Amino acid sequence: MNNEVNIENVTVKYNSFKVLDNISFNLISPFFVVIMGPNGAGKTTLLKTLLGLVKPTQGNINIYGYNPERNISEIRKITGYVPQIVNINTYVPITVEEVVSMGYLSKTKPPRILSKRVKNKVKEVLEIVNLPGVENKMFTELSGGQRQRILIARALIKNPKLLLLDEPFSMLDFKIKCEITALLYKLFRELDIDILMVAHELSPCIPYQPQVIILNKKIYAIGKADEVLKTDILSQAYPGVTSLPGGIIIGEDHA
Amino acid sequence: MLEIIALIYLLALLSGILVGSISLPLVMSRNIMFSLTLLHSILGGAILGVFINTMYNLNIPIPLFATFTAIFFSILAAELVEKGFPEDTATAFSVAAATTITIVFSFYASSISSTALAEAWSYVMGASSLATLEDLTKIIVVLIITIPIVHLFWREFKYIAFDPEGAEALGLNVRFYRYLFYSIVAFVSAVLSSTVGVLVAHVILAAPGAFALKIYKKKPVILSYIISTLLMLTGYILARILNIPPSGGVGLTSTILILSMVILREHD
């Protein structure tokens, strides 16, 4: 296992429609990266391609020495995924313990039983995400920020090296977005977990100086926020970007 | 006489348990539209079975045709969803194909036998109020197969309904579990349809699970079993009082249950 995430000339097509067009980048661990781009830019597809859920039409992917197509079981061991919260079906009556434990139980064969050992692991990760004692609550009883923490805990229970998050800020107010970012930064600094997240809003992350990737099917820029958040770059990546005297508006949120 | 009555209520009780086992996961996965595919494909399969039996002078059980047709069209709908088609498009396609089978083979069956359509129609309305040992055996066999599978994979079914994308990323074989669940529902529906009728089987599949989730989310499994069993028993009792087929009684109690849910929703 090496310490690089390397994407080389990756193209992904859905039918004949190009979602990612010959993208390349290289991230050296430890990294704390935010992927930004307009809706339909291929951000979620990029995460799914890294996870091996979407096969690239062409190109090579290397995640710490493993290829998602050839080494899917290793990829699943070393990655944790936090999907968009809007895709969660809140109609399902499920407890926090059941949600988080699945991160661990997915490694076993059915029947997947909640043993004392698994329950203790759930308690441990709930403490890491600052939500001790909620394991018997229903997922739907929690607030938006707490639900996001639970999904992060589910990813953490596998002890991942790389955490991939798809819009962890959606439908949260700014204070909670900052709390979630602080938690992610804590995981990055204290547990050595590399962070790669998709976000529409960068401001909650600014204090932590993340690397930013500007994506809209192609990569438009990679660098620190002050290097990439420039009008000329953003106006290329975001069609219809609005220029104002005090700056520009590129914001859009999935809510 | 007493034995026949006992047999009828035993059948109602076991059918209730069977409905309870699949109702909740079906509702949780928000696949009510999927039961529309089932309804049409069971009917299509039954009519196809009537046609084949009449045409070739065979005696293959109609539920067998109905089960396989329902499984086929359910998996077809699921596969279309996996390929990226919206769920309503996939359902519409499967329903259209199943309905075509119903129409075409109804026509052919009626042209070769005068009783063929009546036989198929009994499948729509349900059997008469007499329960047979054969009905009871069918339900017991389906119960023995279904309940262990549903509960063995309960966590997976629930988890895939909750977060299919996350489940896939965790390494669960979402497609396998989805097809397994659809096949079980198709199997159960086809057998239930042969006793209570396609239309009522369609109604009672979702009602207990939806009501259980509505009134107490913390223990919906046991509640779904209790509601579906009560639904079937009261339906059969009502049918006896009103002197109508059991399917009519179960249909009435299901309607009352659905109306109660509407009233409860308005009070929320």
Side-chain angles (χ1 to χ4, degrees):
Chain A
M1 191 163 127
N2 62 34
N3 65 343
E4 275 182 57
V5 170
N6 185 258
I7 312 291
E8 206 177 299
N9 306 116
V10 167
T11 295
V12 176
K13 286 182 187 173
Y14 288 142
N15 297 321
S16 58
F17 182 72
K18 262 186 195 171
V19 185
L20 294 173
D21 185 6
N22 199 30
I23 66 166
S24 299
F25 62 83
N26 192 42
L27 303 169
I28 311 275
S29 182
F31 56 82
F32 187 83
V33 175
V34 180
I35 303 170
M36 291 181 73
N39 287 337
K43 306 182 294 292
T44 300
T45 301
L46 174 59
L47 294 191
K48 287 185 177 176
T49 310
L50 295 177
L51 285 162
L53 301 179
V54 171
K55 285 183 182 164
T57 315
Q58 66 171 59
N60 291 316
I61 299 173
N62 189 312
I63 299 177
Y64 309 123
Y66 297 112
N67 180 292
E69 281 189 79
R70 289 193 295 272
N71 317 105
I72 190 70
S73 58
E74 280 79 8
I75 293 290
R76 281 180 182 144
K77 276 180 207 156
I78 58 173
T79 57
Y81 177 54
V82 180
Q84 285 189 44
I85 204 136
V86 288
N87 294 337
I88 299 287
N89 175 3
T90 51
Y91 205 56
V92 176
I94 191 163
T95 63
V96 166
E97 188 171 64
E98 287 175 299
V99 174
V100 178
S101 64
M102 191 46 88
Y104 192 83
L105 292 173
S106 62
K107 293 189 288 190
T108 63
K109 296 259 180 262
R112 297 182 163 99
I113 294 162
L114 269 175
S115 64
K116 197 165 171 86
R117 182 181 137 84
V118 178
K119 288 182 178 200
N120 287 338
K121 284 286 286 180
V122 171
K123 282 183 184 161
E124 273 174 37
V125 285
L126 287 177
E127 282 185 16
I128 295 173
V129 299
N130 301 322
L131 280 177
V134 299
E135 54 270 26
N136 292 322
K137 283 199 170 187
M138 302 301 284
F139 184 76
T140 47
E141 288 175 340
L142 305 178
S143 68
Q146 287 174 325
R147 288 179 191 185
Q148 196 61 258
R149 285 169 188 268
I150 295 304
L151 295 180
I152 293 171
R154 179 184 67 176
L156 286 180
I157 202 168
K158 292 167 61 186
N159 295 322
K161 171 70 187 141
L162 172 63
L163 195 55
L164 301 154
L165 303 101
D166 197 353
E167 300 196 28
F169 301 148
S170 68
M171 300 201 295
L172 299 178
D173 64 40
F174 189 74
K175 181 174 170 280
I176 307 294
K177 287 176 187 176
C178 293
E179 286 175 12
I180 294 290
T181 317
L183 168 66
L184 294 175
Y185 194 71
K186 182 179 101 173
L187 302 177
F188 168 67
R189 297 296 297 177
E190 294 176 13
L191 301 179
D192 294 325
I193 296 174
D194 293 324
I195 306 287
L196 186 60
M197 70 168 134
V198 162
H200 278 287
E201 187 181 354
L202 192 61
S203 20
C205 309
I206 290 292
Y208 307 104
Q209 298 184 308
Q211 265 187 286
V212 180
I213 297 177
I214 305 286
L215 176 78
N216 188 1
K217 294 185 173 57
K218 296 176 180 180
I219 302 256
Y220 284 84
I222 300 180
K224 293 288 175 194
D226 55 346
E227 295 163 359
V228 301
L229 296 184
K230 292 182 174 162
T231 314
D232 57 329
I233 296 172
L234 295 172
S235 57
Q236 283 177 57
Y238 286 81
V241 66
T242 312
S243 293
L244 292 172
I248 57 170
I249 297 174
I250 57 169
E252 45 186 298
D253 205 351
H254 290 290
Chain B
M1 181 66 185
L2 207 61
E3 275 178 18
I4 294 171
I5 293 173
L7 193 65
I8 290 170
Y9 289 111
L10 185 59
L11 186 72
L13 178 79
L14 296 178
S15 301
I17 295 171
L18 193 57
V19 170
S21 69
I22 58 161
S23 182
L24 188 63
L26 186 66
V27 172
M28 278 188 326
S29 60
R30 286 177 160 175
N31 270 329
I32 304 299
M33 282 295 282
F34 163 70
S35 55
L36 194 67
T37 304
L38 280 179
L39 167 76
H40 287 268
S41 49
I42 288 170
L43 193 56
I47 287 171
L48 180 67
V50 169
F51 170 75
I52 292 174
N53 277 347
T54 313
M55 182 81 180
Y56 300 103
N57 209 15
L58 301 171
N59 200 20
I60 302 169
I62 300 297
L64 207 63
F65 286 103
T67 304
F68 283 113
T69 316
I71 290 174
F72 172 78
F73 281 110
S74 317
I75 289 180
L76 176 70
E79 188 58 32
L80 289 172
V81 172
E82 291 281 340
K83 297 275 179 217
F85 285 89
E87 210 162 282
D88 48 358
T89 310
T91 303
F93 181 80
S94 300
V95 167
T99 308
T100 308
I101 289 180
T102 307
I103 296 165
V104 171
F105 287 101
S106 295
F107 174 76
Y108 283 130
S110 62
S111 65
I112 56 171
S113 161
S114 56
T115 57
L117 266 187
E119 198 183 330
W121 185 244
S122 75
Y123 212 77
V124 178
M125 299 301 288
S128 70
S129 52
L130 287 176
T132 61
L133 267 177
E134 192 195 337
D135 288 337
L136 194 67
T137 314
K138 267 193 290 190
I139 294 284
I140 290 172
V141 169
V142 178
L143 266 173
I144 290 170
I145 296 171
T146 305
I147 293 194
I149 295 178
V150 168
H151 289 281
L152 180 66
F153 297 113
W154 177 256
R155 205 178 285 282
E156 287 77 8
F157 293 150
K158 189 175 183 177
Y159 210 78
I160 288 165
F162 172 71
D163 176 18
E165 206 175 80
E168 202 176 357
L170 286 172
L172 292 183
N173 191 338
V174 174
R175 183 179 283 193
F176 167 76
Y177 289 117
R178 206 171 263 161
Y179 288 3
L180 177 68
F181 179 62
Y182 282 5
S183 303
I184 291 168
V185 178
F187 181 45
V188 169
S189 309
V191 172
L192 272 178
S193 297
S194 68
T195 56
V196 296
V198 172
L199 294 177
V200 173
H202 177 62
V203 173
I204 56 168
L205 277 183
F211 199 67
L213 277 181
K214 186 81 201 159
I215 57 177
Y216 192 49
K217 278 198 169 186
K218 288 205 167 173
K219 297 274 177 204
V221 181
I222 187 78
L223 213 54
S224 173
Y225 276 112
I226 292 170
I227 294 167
S228 59
T229 310
L230 289 177
L231 194 76
M232 292 298 280
L233 284 173
T234 48
Y236 271 66
I237 293 169
L238 202 64
R240 194 165 176 77
I241 293 168
L242 299 175
N243 200 21
I244 55 174
S247 60
V250 176
L252 271 173
T253 50
S254 303
T255 310
I256 294 167
L257 191 70
I258 292 165
L259 280 175
S260 315
M261 277 163 60
V262 174
I263 293 165
L264 271 177
R265 177 170 286 206
E266 282 179 2
H267 279 275
D268 277 354

